[in-house]
Every structure is written in C-alpha cells, then in structure tokens.
Amino acid sequence: AAVPAPWEQALAARWARPDEAGPLPASALDEALLQLEAVLDLPTAPEWQAARRELKLRALKDTLEGRASAPSGPARHAEWLASALRQVGATPAQRVRLHAIISALRQAPPGSLLPPATRS
C-alpha cells in the first residue's frame, strides 16, 4: 500500500545513500525509538525499561510543574518515525525495534502518527 508522502521521502533519502551512516547518532535513534514505543504503548526491552521509566517521570514532572515540554503530538511522532526510517547503519537491535513499531502502526488506526495536514 502507498505510504504518506513524508514517509516516502524519508525512505527515498535512506535508499539513496545505502553505504553511509546516519543521519542520526545511535543515541538519538534510540531516543526516537523509545519515544515511538511509548506513544504506541509497545513493550520495552529490559535494557530500555529504565529509560522508559525516566521518560514517563520527566513527562509527569513537567505536567505537574506546568512546564511546557518539547512539542508533542502526531506531527512530532511523524518526525520521529521519519528520522528512524531515514536511518542507515542501525544496529540489529534497533532494526528489530523499528520493525515492531512498523508492525504496531499497521494495527493502529489510520493517521495515528501523521501530521494533521496529511490526514485523510
């Protein structure tokens, strides 16, 4: 099936440079994957459970203190996914996590991570 234009562009950029690493450092890719796993309520691998708890605690603390956290919502989620899709040189564990996210998106309601402007 066709994918939304932002995802198609991310995949095209990734396939255009198969021998290069990036565009994200490994830690940034792990953070994007962790955020997407949290958004989709996917189980977290044991080695990422502490980071997931920290992510939840930061969000709760920001909410309780009335702080505006980093922009969130479908547009930000779509950015995380596009960044993960563009990534070249991911580790086997990162690829497994990305595949789990893509599988969850297949089961999610249409437009779950799309920016509002691209939803049908």
Side-chain angles (χ1 to χ4, degrees):
V3 296
W7 298 2
E8 185 68 36
Q9 292 166 353
L11 288 170
R14 190 252 182 259
W15 290 325
R17 50 184 176 72
D19 296 331
E20 297 176 21
L24 300 174
S27 61
L29 176 59
D30 285 329
E31 179 70 19
L33 294 172
L34 187 65
Q35 294 280 3
L36 289 166
E37 289 165 344
V39 167
L40 295 168
D41 199 26
L42 294 176
T44 303
E47 61 269 20
W48 291 102
Q49 289 178 356
R52 178 93 171 248
R53 277 191 302 277
E54 178 65 27
L55 182 69
K56 288 181 182 182
L57 286 173
R58 276 186 283 153
L60 180 60
K61 183 178 177 183
D62 288 346
T63 300
L64 290 173
E65 293 177 354
R67 287 190 215 153
S69 60
S72 190
R76 184 69 176 128
H77 305 161
E79 288 175 23
W80 290 328
L81 182 60
S83 294
L85 291 173
R86 281 192 307 269
Q87 190 68 20
V88 178
T91 66
Q94 290 169 330
R95 286 193 301 268
V96 167
R97 293 171 70 196
L98 182 57
H99 288 194
I101 290 166
I102 292 168
S103 294
L105 283 171
R106 288 183 178 141
Q107 305 300 318
S112 293
L113 296 181
L114 294 179
T118 61
R119 289 187 188 156
S120 48

